[in-house]
């Protein structure tokens, strides 16, 4: 998961209901949330993440801008199940992500995301998703400039008269290996605790703390 | 009165019940025998029909936490539902207040360093702490299971619509949170090794059943599993029961519990912790052992072991790791009165677990398996951080006590509606009777051989779910008597009570005609 998120506006939830919303006594079972990017910006989506709050199924539609600049709504995720059993708690407050690989079409050049939330069970008073974040694709890393002195290292050393001394190449290899070993030992320090529960031999406690 | 029924249509042997004043409980196999009296769907068909269900089964069976979403905070891994976290926090506050007030009233510090004389004394009588008769009359348990039950009964999801009139969906029981649980067909699938066509220890090793039918072969396979030191095979094997002689090794394999020199050293370090510091919690442990295990005909001989294991357990900081997936949080305090200064912050007790009334019964049955204290300790600790902690914390986990209670009540309402309704009408909600059995995983309420067979399956299926099913099975067994009672007290008497030293070999079988409702 990338930590980058794209700044976007989450519009207020729109209820989809048959009949008059004011006089109808039953609660709506479908909500629509629009998430729009600032005007003119598009994004290639890597991931859409959110926190569920009692939504059973989510469908995702994207407003994509094609080559000519015209915008078109496409469905990229259909009835993705967040709660396997809508009458019960399972999955009701989980953190979820919808990844690029799960989507039906390529989520590129997207200007707006529409989340259609469904909760068919009448057991819940309210349902929604929270903390909606859109994560863009990471750009390919541009080629690093290699500093000149790095390229100098690839020069072949002149062979000098050894006079009975060991070959410098083998010596440097073995020294490198020893150095690598010490690095491994240093990084692999055990995280096992010593198991002491007192602080410097003292464990005199009077009362428990509530905070 | 001895009643023997021989059913010629049964697969194996006969069916024996001892009917005395105090009825002994049947093994869980009773319900499973009835559960599986119908041929179950073949695995492949079932999985193709309901793929997401099988995923649910596999996921929910695990006692270890699933890898969580990267955006999820640590508290979400402990417990995903916000209102349950809140309930747990409030419950913990009550426990802390209770402990603090006990401390202040009695004038006993929560922890103090023992003077050298006292340390020497304790070292000398380490192996016979049971002979000590300290004055424990002033101490009382911090809480009992029935207090915890009241907390669970008051659990409510603020987003749940409970305003509806009584309907077919209404839940008659005390637990009013809509957690998911499995019904009988799903459980038949998940517990397929407990079906009628599969041999079981506890049924098919009865004295008059020829051992060639099942027992010899099963024991031979068990020896092989132990020789190969195969942990996964041991877990699968345990689903059909462990032979008495192999159980200790098999459980140690399943729990990955070793007795290497470093484990023994760790235990010695804990023992040193007990010698150096005296905790208020120690008195609670003493009191609990005296009140429960010492009064039990099966376990009183292990009194000294229990003190050793439980006192060391409360010094073990390694237990703190399990709080990452336990909805509970260890109590905190500050030494030397330096409240709020983080360098002086400590956890109390060192393992973060405050024992309640009956806690020592989690350890007692294990004393039959292991006689070396460090080994016994190692196995107990692993069982606690995998299973037992779920029995006394508020969580939505499928092995958690809330789910077990709900599962029990739903099974009863679905399959014994008349009985449930009757008990409700007379003010004897079934959960009030069954709760204490489930909180202790039946320890102290079943004879040890039957209890160990039950715990074999808990380990084999890596889940506490069968504890709820067994509780429902007990009610099913006593359904006829229970329909006649007129009050909660007489209902409690009608269901089996703790064993009183009488070993009753009870084995049941599918031939038992307990009622057609079970066969549906």
């Amino acid at each position: 998961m990338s930590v980058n998120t794209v700044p976007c506006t989450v519009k207020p939830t729109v209820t989809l209901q048959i009949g008059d919303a004011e006089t109808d006594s039953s609660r709506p079972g479908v909500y629509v949330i629009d998430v729009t990017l600032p005007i003119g910006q598009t994004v290639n989506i890597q991931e859409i993440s959110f926190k569920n709050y009692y939504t059973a199924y989510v469908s995702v539609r994207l407003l994509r801008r094609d080559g000519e600049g015209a915008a078109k709504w496409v469905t990229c995720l259909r009835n993705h199940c967040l709660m396997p059993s809508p009458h019960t708690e399972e999955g009701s407050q989980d953190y979820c992500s919808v990844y690029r690989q799960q989507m039906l079409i390529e989520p590129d050049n997207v200007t707006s995301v529409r989340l259609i939330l469904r909760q068919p069970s009448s057991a819940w008073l309210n349902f929604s998703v929270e903390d909606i974040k859109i994560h863009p694709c990471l750009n390919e890393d541009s080629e690093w400039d290699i500093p000149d002195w790095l390229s100098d290292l690839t020069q072949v050393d002149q062979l000098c008269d050894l006079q009975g001394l060991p070959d410098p190449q083998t010596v440097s290899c073995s020294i490198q290996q020893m150095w690598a070993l010490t690095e491994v030992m240093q990084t692999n320090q055990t995280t096992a605790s010593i198991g002491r529960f007192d602080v410097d031999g003292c464990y005199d406690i009077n009362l428990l703390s509530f905070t | 009165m001895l009643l023997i029924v021989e059913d010629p249509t049964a697969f194996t042997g006969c069916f024996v019940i001892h009917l005395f004043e105090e009825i002994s409980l049947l093994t869980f196999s009773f319900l499973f025998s009835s559960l599986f009296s119908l041929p179950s769907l073949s695995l492949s068909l079932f999985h193709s029909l309901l793929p997401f269900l099988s995923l649910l089964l596999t996921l929910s069976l695990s006692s270890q936490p699933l890898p969580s979403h990267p955006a999820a905070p640590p508290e979400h891994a402990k417990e995903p539902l916000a209102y349950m976290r809140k309930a747990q926090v409030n419950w913990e506050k009550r426990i802390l207040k209770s402990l603090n007030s006990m401390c202040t009233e009695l004038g006993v510090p929560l922890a103090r360093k023992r003077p050298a004389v006292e340390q020497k004394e304790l070292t000398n009588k380490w192996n016979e702490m049971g002979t000590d008769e300290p004055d424990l009359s002033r101490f009382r348990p911090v809480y009992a299971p029935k207090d915890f039950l009241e907390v669970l009964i008051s659990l409510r999801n603020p987003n749940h619509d409970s305003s509806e009139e009584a309907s077919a969906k209404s839940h008659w029981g005390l637990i009013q949170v809509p957690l998911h649980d499995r019904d009988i067909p799903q459980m038949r699938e998940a517990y397929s090794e407990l079906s009628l066509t599969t041999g079981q220890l506890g049924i098919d090793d009865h004295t008059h059943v020829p051992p060639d039918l099942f027992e010899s072969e099963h024991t031979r396979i068990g020896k092989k599993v132990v020789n190969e030191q195969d942990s996964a095979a041991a877990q699968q094997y345990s689903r059909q029961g462990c032979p008495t002689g192999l159980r200790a090794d098999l459980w140690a394999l399943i729990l990955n519990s070793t007795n290497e020199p470093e484990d023994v050293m760790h235990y010695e370090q804990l023992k040193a912790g007990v010698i150096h510091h005296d905790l208020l919690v120690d008195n609670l442990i003493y009191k609990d052992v005296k009140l429960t295990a010492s009064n039990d005909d099966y376990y009183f001989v292990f009194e000294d072991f229990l003190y050793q294991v439980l006192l060391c357990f409360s010094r073990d900081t390694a237990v703190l790791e399990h709080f990452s997936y336990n909805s509970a949080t260890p109590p905190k305090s500050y030494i030397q009165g330096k409240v709020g200064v983080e360098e002086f912050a400590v956890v109390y007790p060192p393992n973060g677990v405050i024992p309640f009334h009956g806690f020592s019964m989690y350890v007692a049955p294990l004393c039959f398996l292991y006689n070396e204290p460090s080994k016994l300790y190692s196995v107990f600790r692993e069982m606690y951080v995998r299973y037992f902690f779920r029995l006394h914390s508020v969580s939505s986990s499928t092995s958690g006590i809330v789910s077990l209670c709900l599962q029990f009540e739903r099974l009863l309402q679905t399959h014994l509606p008349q009985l449930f309704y009757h008990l409700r009408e007379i003010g004897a909600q079934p959960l009030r009777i069954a709760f204490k059995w489930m909180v202790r995983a039946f320890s102290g309420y079943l004879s040890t051989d039957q209890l160990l067979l039950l715990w074999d399956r808990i380990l084999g299926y890596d889940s506490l779910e069968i504890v709820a099913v067994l509780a429902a099975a007990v009610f099913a067994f006593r359904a006829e008597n229970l329909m006649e009672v007129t009050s909660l007290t007489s209902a409690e008497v009608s269901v089996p009570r703790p064993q009183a030293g009488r070993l009753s070999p009870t084995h049941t079988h599918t031939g038992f005609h307990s009622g057609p409702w079970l066969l549906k």
Side-chain angles (χ1 to χ4, degrees), chain B residues 89-107:
Chain B
V89 164
N90 289 339
W91 168 237
E92 279 169 10
K93 278 208 177 103
R94 278 175 57 188
I95 297 177
L96 297 194
K97 279 198 178 123
S98 171
L99 207 50
N100 272 351
S101 62
M102 192 192 303
C103 196
T104 338
E105 274 170 34
L106 301 179

Side-chain angles (χ1 to χ4, degrees), chain A residues 116-154:
Chain A
I116 301 165
L117 315 175
R118 295 204 301 116
Q119 176 49 272
S121 169
S122 60
W124 313 108
L125 297 173
N126 217 340
F127 67 95
S128 170
V129 294
E130 297 159 1
D131 283 344
I132 305 169
K133 291 192 171 76
I134 300 179
H135 304 264
C137 292
L138 289 174
N139 292 327
E140 278 184 16
D141 291 325
S142 53
E143 294 229 341
W144 292 337
D145 291 326
I146 303 177
D148 295 337
W149 57 266
L150 265 181
S151 49
D152 286 343
L153 288 177
T154 56

Side-chain angles (χ1 to χ4, degrees), chain A residues 27 54 88-90 92-95 97 123-126 194-195 197 202-210, chain B residues 56 69 73 76 80-83 97 100 103 110-113 157 159-161 178 180 269 317 332-333 347 350:
Chain A
R27 289 186 294 273
Y54 293 94
T88 64
E89 293 272 9
E90 195 138 359
S92 59
Q93 295 189 25
D94 281 351
Y95 289 81
S97 276
W124 313 108
L125 297 173
N126 217 340
I194 305 170
F197 54 82
C202 174
Y203 194 66
D204 294 329
I205 302 172
N206 287 325
L207 287 177
L208 295 170
S209 161
F210 288 114
Chain B
L56 254 184
H69 193 271
H76 195 264
L81 303 181
Y83 70 94
K97 279 198 178 123
N100 272 351
C103 196
L110 284 173
R112 66 174 180 99
K113 199 164 169 71
N157 181 343
N159 194 35
H160 190 237
D161 183 8
H180 178 76
Q269 188 187 3
T317 52
K332 198 164 133 180
S333 186
V347 169

